[in-house]
Structure formats: C-alpha cells, structure tokens
Amino acid sequence: MTEWTLIQPESGPQGQDRLRKLTHVLYALYALAWLTFGSAAIVAIIINYVKREDVRGTLYETHFNWQICAFWICVGVSIVAVPLMLVWVGFVLLWALGILALYRIIKGWLYLNDGCAIGLPSEVSM
C-alpha cells in the first residue's frame, strides 16, 4: 500500500514569493473585473477560497480576507442597488460601490506592494 505525504509548497522563501505573486494576480483580477463585467472577480474569488489555507498565518491571509470581504460587499450592495435603479437610487448606490471597490483594490494593492498586512487592527496584529 502506498503511503502519501502532503508537501507544503508554500513554505520557505520561495513559497512566500509565490503567495505574494498570487496575491498580486488576484488584485489584478479584481481590477480587471471592471472591464469584464465582474467575470474576472468570479475567477478571483474562487482562487481566494481554494488557496485560503495556503496563506493561513501569513500577511497574505489579511489580503485574502480583505479581497473576500470586498467581493461580498459588492455582491450584496449590487443585489440591493439593481432593483433600486427603477427609482434612480440604485445608480447612486452603484456609483458609490464603484468608488468603494476601487478604493479597496488600490489600498490593498499598495499595502501588498509595501509588504504590509491589511484589514481591521485586530486582524493585522499577527
């Protein structure tokens, strides 16, 4: 009988570099979602959930949490805003949501570029 051993590919400096590059790619996908009507964000959120265990205990975990939270905020506000477009309030909500999404992408990407954790102070004190 074959005995399987799990290899942690994300440990060590090379693994940390891969996680950093992946997190950059995810921010790029979220930014690209503006041009792909959200489909790139769907790809990004799937990758966020699939790779979530690999980033546990690293500063990249805070970025994954930041991205996941931003995605679900956008989905929730969009669900409320689209029907409200009939009374024009939805357009204002979607505009504000666009500004919030852009802010979260830019802030997260800048923090990642500086090698800093992001999120609530209780999350960042790793």
Side-chain angles (χ1 to χ4, degrees):
M1 180 176 216
T2 304
E3 191 172 316
W4 297 94
T5 56
L6 293 175
I7 299 171
Q8 290 292 352
E10 308 308 336
S11 60
Q14 288 180 340
Q16 292 294 313
D17 189 48
R18 275 190 235 127
L19 290 177
R20 187 176 202 285
K21 287 178 184 174
L22 174 64
T23 309
H24 276 293
V25 167
L26 291 173
Y27 277 117
L29 284 171
Y30 283 113
L32 188 62
W34 287 77
L35 302 174
T36 62
F37 301 104
S39 60
I42 302 292
V43 172
I45 194 70
I46 291 169
I47 295 170
N48 275 135
Y49 280 113
V50 168
K51 299 295 280 182
R52 200 171 196 185
E53 276 303 310
D54 294 346
V55 298
R56 188 97 43 219
T58 68
L59 75 94
Y60 306 111
E61 180 180 11
T62 63
H63 287 276
F64 273 49
N65 291 339
W66 181 260
Q67 293 168 344
I68 290 168
C69 181
F71 175 85
W72 289 114
I73 288 170
C74 289
V75 168
V77 172
S78 294
I79 288 171
V80 171
V82 168
L84 290 175
M85 290 172 74
L86 294 172
V87 291
W88 294 94
V89 175
F91 289 105
V92 174
L93 279 174
L94 288 175
W95 182 81
L97 178 63
I99 298 296
L100 175 68
L102 192 58
Y103 164 78
R104 289 185 68 101
I105 291 167
I106 292 170
K107 182 176 180 179
W109 218 341
L110 288 173
Y111 272 56
L112 176 64
N113 192 54
D114 292 341
C116 298
I118 191 165
L120 299 174
S122 62
E123 295 172 345
V124 176
S125 61
M126 300 177 94

